[in-house]
Structures are given as structure tokens and as C-alpha cells.
Amino acid sequence: MAKRRRLTPANPSFMDPAPEVKSALPPVGATMRAPIADVAREASSTAAITEMAETLRSAREGGRMVVSVPLEDIALDYLVRDRVGVPEEEQAALVDSIARRGQQTPVELVDLGEGAAPRYGLISGWRRVMALTELQHRDSAAFGEVLGLLRRPAEASQAYLAMIEENEIRVGLSYFERARIALKAVEQGAFEDLSSALSGLYENASRAKRSKIKSFTLVVQHLDGALRFPRAIGERLGLQLAQALEADPELSARLRTQVAEGDPADFEAEQTLIRAELTPPKPAKAKAETPAPKPNAPVHLRKQGAHQVLLEGRGVDAAFLADLEAWLQKRQG
């Protein structure tokens, strides 16, 4: 019986891969991974990153993401402010609150674009920015930035509306402030005229309320900058003042002079000056006329004899007799 022969390849190198090929092969026992899986995984990761970046961009530009902005990059005069003044005690309380707890509510900003200086325009949150600016002087490292939401108002009118709505909700605007911002919005070109500004800015107000705001525009036009405490003017006094300004062209100048010279320390003193000009002077009382002297009552003299006369008539009274007696004494003396 012939022995079995072990078969061996004639050329052993035929079964042994070349070194460069061998180095590219996975180690023995390693799990093979199809290249398509790597491509799919990388594509999925890229898509997720792109989607997240788009989501963040959309949230930022849509005003749904709070951003931190340096105070010096904010234009405070982007809009004419609707507030004509803030009581010192209220602002001091806000400064104290932010100093202790930080800024709790973001302001509203609009991105003015690359290259703009400052980069962001302030829509609402003026008091918070002022408080942070004051605190920055104390500690620039801790209060050098403001938290804000980026808004994208399609038109300037929407920016004014956003500012008014925020202040109406938080504190409430006076009639003077409502009228003033309507006039300023027209001046800035946000609205074509006063009527459209009143309708656009105070769309939810009743017709009667818009009419009152319109009346207050006369007060703003004549006395803005002259009054020290215009926010304190109530509805009744303001409407009375508007009517008087329309009827009397010289009233505005008189009021400006009275306020400047009177230098009122508070709103009560200022309103006393206003009311004094609105109250018509009382007519001077006519002097009592001296009654015209009554004509002398008749006295008739009748001779009774050689040495006797008779005086008679309604004029013969005590005064007449006294005068007669004095005359006789004088004649005889």
C-alpha cells in the first residue's frame, strides 16, 4: 500500500500575501466592518451637527435664545424712548435687585448687522441697561454685559410697538408718554401720520382712549421739555390743558415762563402753577355807585302877617329845621 503523500504548494509565496497587502488586512479574528457603515455614520453625525447649528441659529435670530452682549455694543437711542423719566426710588430698587440677584429678565435687541457700531439696537429694557451701566462703574468685570433676546422686527413700527407693549405690561404708561411716543414714531418715519400711529401702537385700546391720547399730543407739542413732571398729569387735567392750549395760542408761552420761574420741586407744585393759568381770573367787583341825591322835597313859605311866615311842605323836617335854626343864629349873630 502506497504511503499518502502530503501535498504542498509548489510556490508557497502564492498563498502568502504581499507585505503591503498584509498590513492592510484586519488581524485574525477581528470583525470585518463594511466601509458603507463608516460613511453612513459620519454622514449621520454631520447631519446632526448641521441640524443643531441651524436650530441654534434659528433660535438666536428668532428671539428664543438668550445671548450675552457687551454693554458698549448697545445703541440706547435706536428708538426714541417712551419713558420721559423714572422715579429715583424705583430705579434704585432695580439696581439693588440686579446687584443681588443678577439680571433676571433679558432685554430685547435688534441686530444692526456686521460693521455697525454699536452692533445692537435697544428695543425694550432701557431701565435694566441703565441699572447695569451704573453697576458696571462699580464692578466692570461682573456687570459688563447684558442678557438679551434678538428680535427681528420687519418694520420700525413693530419695534415701537414691542417697546410700548413691554412697558404697558410692566408699569403702564401715562397719557403724556403714550402721546409723546406716537408723535416721535411719526417723526422717525415709522408711521405715515398721527392717526395711523395711534391705530397701530394702540390697536387694542378703545376709540375713546385713543381720542384722549390724541388730545394729549397737544400738551406734548406745546410743553414737552418744559414740564418737570409730565408723567404725573392725570387724564382730567391733561384734557383740560389740551383744550385750553387749543383755544389760547399764548397759553403755552405763559406756562413755560411760569414753570421756569416757579421752579417746582414736585408734581403738586407744578400742577398748582398749571391750574393757576387755566383758572380764569375772577371779574373785579364793580364799585358801589353813590346813589344820586334825591331832589329836595318842596317847602312852601307863606306870609301870615307883617312879622310872621308859615313854612309848610314835605321838606319841613328835622334836618331842614336844624339848618334853618343854624342860619338864623348866624344871621342874628
Side-chain angles (χ1 to χ4, degrees):
M1 183 174 179
K3 293 182 179 181
R4 294 181 180 177
R5 296 179 61 188
R6 185 176 180 181
L7 299 177
T8 57
N11 185 3
S13 63
F14 176 78
M15 298 295 294
D16 193 11
E20 62 271 15
V21 177
K22 188 175 181 179
S23 64
L25 294 175
V28 177
T31 304
M32 295 290 291
R33 181 185 302 170
I36 189 63
D38 290 335
V39 175
R41 178 173 57 81
E42 293 177 2
S44 177
S45 298
T46 302
I49 294 173
T50 302
E51 182 180 359
M52 180 172 290
E54 177 61 24
T55 300
L56 292 175
R57 185 195 64 79
S58 177
R60 175 186 171 91
E61 295 182 357
R64 300 187 303 276
M65 183 174 70
V66 177
V67 297
S68 184
V69 175
L71 282 169
E72 58 267 21
D73 286 351
I74 297 178
L76 296 175
D77 58 353
Y78 171 68
L79 295 180
V80 177
R81 311 317 304 175
D82 53 359
R83 285 291 184 192
V84 295
V86 179
E88 293 183 3
E89 60 275 11
E90 291 184 15
Q91 189 65 13
L94 178 60
V95 171
D96 180 64
S97 174
I98 294 178
R100 289 184 293 104
R101 303 172 58 223
Q103 182 188 345
Q104 299 297 305
T105 306
V107 302
E108 290 184 302
L109 306 170
V110 58
D111 192 340
L112 302 179
E114 294 287 348
R119 171 68 184 273
Y120 302 96
L122 181 66
I123 296 177
S124 65
W126 182 83
R127 291 181 58 209
R128 275 160 280 168
V129 173
M130 289 296 97
L132 286 166
T133 301
E134 181 176 338
L135 291 169
Q136 184 186 32
H137 295 317
R138 307 178 192 175
D139 187 348
S140 59
F143 300 100
E145 297 190 342
V146 61
L147 300 178
L149 293 171
L150 292 182
R151 302 302 192 193
R152 297 179 63 186
E155 299 177 356
S157 58
Q158 293 185 10
Y160 278 101
L161 182 58
M163 175 179 62
I164 289 173
E165 286 179 342
E166 197 232 13
N167 278 331
E168 287 281 18
I169 292 171
R170 290 186 173 278
V171 183
L173 297 171
S174 66
Y175 273 104
F176 186 93
E177 289 169 319
R178 293 187 183 106
R180 182 175 181 272
I181 197 59
L183 287 171
K184 295 299 181 182
V186 174
E187 290 178 9
Q188 296 291 320
F191 294 93
E192 183 178 355
D193 51 33
L194 180 59
S195 179
S196 59
L198 292 172
S199 299
L201 296 176
Y202 308 106
E203 179 181 6
N204 296 325
S206 65
R207 181 177 298 180
K209 187 172 184 177
R210 286 199 297 270
S211 176
K212 293 173 184 176
I213 296 173
K214 183 178 181 180
S215 295
F216 265 80
T217 59
L218 285 171
V219 181
V220 176
Q221 289 171 331
H222 286 277
L223 299 174
D224 188 23
L227 298 178
R228 311 287 176 82
F229 309 93
R231 289 183 60 209
I233 298 178
E235 176 184 329
R236 183 175 180 180
L237 177 59
L239 295 177
Q240 182 183 1
L241 179 56
Q243 185 177 9
L245 287 168
E246 187 175 19
D248 184 357
E250 298 179 356
L251 176 59
S252 173
R254 294 202 307 271
L255 279 172
R256 286 177 173 271
T257 300
Q258 288 294 335
V259 172
E261 295 179 352
D263 192 20
D266 52 38
F267 76 92
E268 293 179 344
E270 182 171 78
Q271 292 185 15
T272 298
L273 294 174
I274 294 174
R275 288 191 175 93
E277 285 295 329
L278 295 181
T279 304
K282 295 180 180 180
K285 292 183 179 180
K287 294 182 179 180
E289 295 182 358
T290 303
K294 296 180 180 180
N296 293 330
V299 175
H300 303 287
L301 184 146
R302 184 183 302 172
K303 188 174 181 180
Q304 297 289 339
H307 303 287
Q308 185 178 7
V309 295
L310 175 65
L311 297 173
E312 61 180 1
R314 289 181 300 170
V316 182
D317 53 14
F320 176 82
L321 293 175
D323 290 341
L324 178 61
E325 185 178 357
W327 176 79
L328 289 173
Q329 289 178 354
K330 184 178 181 181
R331 177 180 174 80
Q332 294 175 0

